[in-house]
Amino acid sequence: MTLPPVTVTKGNVKDDGVKPPPSGRAARWVAHRAQRRTELIEAAVRAIREHGAGVSVAAIAATAGVTKPVLYRHFTDRADLQKAVSERAAQMLLQRLLPELTTERDPIERVHAIVDAFLAGAEDEPELWHFVVHNPGGDREASQDVVAHNMAMVVGLLTSALVDALRERGRDAGGAEAWAYGLAGMVYTAGDWWLQRRTLTRAALTDYLTSLIWGGLSGVLGTAGDAGSTGNSPGGAAGPSSHPTEGPTSSNPTGQPPPLRLVAGEDEQG
């Protein structure tokens, strides 16, 4: 018996959703676009260094040697470009932090090195920092998202380091991520303030922050009797024991420590 002919159409053939692998030409095109995007990001970083954080998209395109329409073939808008540049800036910062996080040294020396590396990254690229953190002329919400993303990357590294250190000492590691956010937020905020004010040296700020951080970490890690508890941090930061209470003097009849001044240079009242 002869069966009638069957016409195969899309409607009577089951589509299993499997797509053919991309051709060699298509794969090369994808790789080319990725490489071109990377080159444009690097050009944007150079333009920011040269023209400042408020650089225009036109200036970025000129630095890259392309027109704005060509630039926007690789980025949907300025916010997308800013996000890409911010991710590159985060990579640059992490390249500074990773060696300090992984190098074996005394705990307080590691804290000091991490803080200094972070501040050095901001100091060496002030316009890039300002572009990423403050995004002048850009989308403020997009800027906040980028900062939060970059902060999360740094916090992830700090959390891992804290968890390892706490578990080595048999301590509770439940607060590691919260502490990491607190530490990163403090250094980030202080660094941003410092870049705008420059009222003290990077070395001094590093020492001040290290003293404050170590004061908390030494208790959390159970190392209050180890290095750092003497009040002398690397670089000469002053801790509690650096200013011993003296006896009565003509300028201090009671012999008690002077009151804490919250504003540098503020005259004493009284």
Side-chain angles (χ1 to χ4, degrees):
M1 181 175 67
T2 302
L3 297 175
V6 177
T7 302
V8 178
T9 65
K10 186 175 181 180
N12 58 20
V13 176
K14 184 178 179 181
D15 185 2
D16 59 5
V18 177
K19 297 181 179 180
S23 65
R25 182 178 181 181
R28 287 193 298 271
W29 176 246
V30 171
H32 170 74
R33 284 186 60 82
Q35 176 61 31
R36 188 64 176 136
R37 181 180 169 94
T38 298
E39 293 170 354
L40 293 173
I41 293 170
E42 294 298 329
V45 171
R46 295 196 303 271
I48 293 167
R49 290 168 176 164
E50 180 179 356
H51 301 287
V55 62
S56 66
V57 175
I60 292 174
T63 300
V66 301
T67 62
K68 285 176 62 176
V70 171
L71 183 67
Y72 280 130
R73 291 177 189 171
H74 299 271
F75 305 95
T76 56
D77 52 23
R78 181 184 173 94
D80 186 34
L81 175 61
Q82 192 225 353
K83 180 180 180 182
V85 171
S86 298
E87 289 172 350
R88 175 67 183 121
Q91 291 175 355
M92 295 165 62
L93 180 60
L94 291 178
Q95 288 172 357
R96 289 177 176 268
L97 294 178
L98 279 174
E100 310 306 338
L101 284 164
T102 57
T103 300
E104 290 296 330
R105 50 166 62 101
D106 288 338
I108 189 172
E109 293 177 352
R110 175 178 288 188
V111 171
H112 187 273
I114 292 171
V115 172
D116 187 58
F118 186 95
L119 296 176
E123 183 180 39
D124 291 348
E125 297 283 0
E127 294 299 335
L128 186 58
W129 172 279
H130 194 55
F131 179 87
V132 172
V133 174
H134 300 286
N135 190 19
D139 185 337
R140 181 174 296 275
E141 184 175 346
S143 176
Q144 293 173 346
D145 289 343
V146 168
V147 170
H149 174 72
N150 293 347
M151 179 73 73
M153 295 175 65
V154 174
V155 166
L157 294 173
L158 290 177
T159 300
S160 296
L162 282 173
V163 168
D164 290 343
L166 289 164
R167 287 178 176 172
E168 285 177 1
R169 294 164 173 77
R171 312 283 289 191
D172 178 17
E177 186 173 15
W179 290 325
Y181 265 104
L183 296 175
M186 180 178 69
V187 177
Y188 158 78
T189 305
D192 188 49
W193 163 84
W194 172 69
L195 280 179
Q196 298 178 60
R197 300 295 184 86
R198 297 297 184 106
T199 54
L200 67 166
T201 65
R202 190 184 91 211
L205 179 59
T206 299
D207 288 342
Y208 286 139
L209 293 177
T210 298
S211 295
L212 182 59
I213 292 170
W214 183 248
L217 283 182
S218 59
V220 169
L221 296 173
T223 56
D226 296 345
S229 62
T230 61
N232 297 318
S233 66
S241 64
S242 299
H243 301 284
T245 302
E246 299 178 353
T249 64
S250 59
S251 61
N252 184 13
T254 65
Q256 299 299 316
L260 176 66
R261 298 182 184 180
L262 299 182
V263 180
E266 181 181 32
D267 292 333
E268 291 185 21
Q269 304 295 322

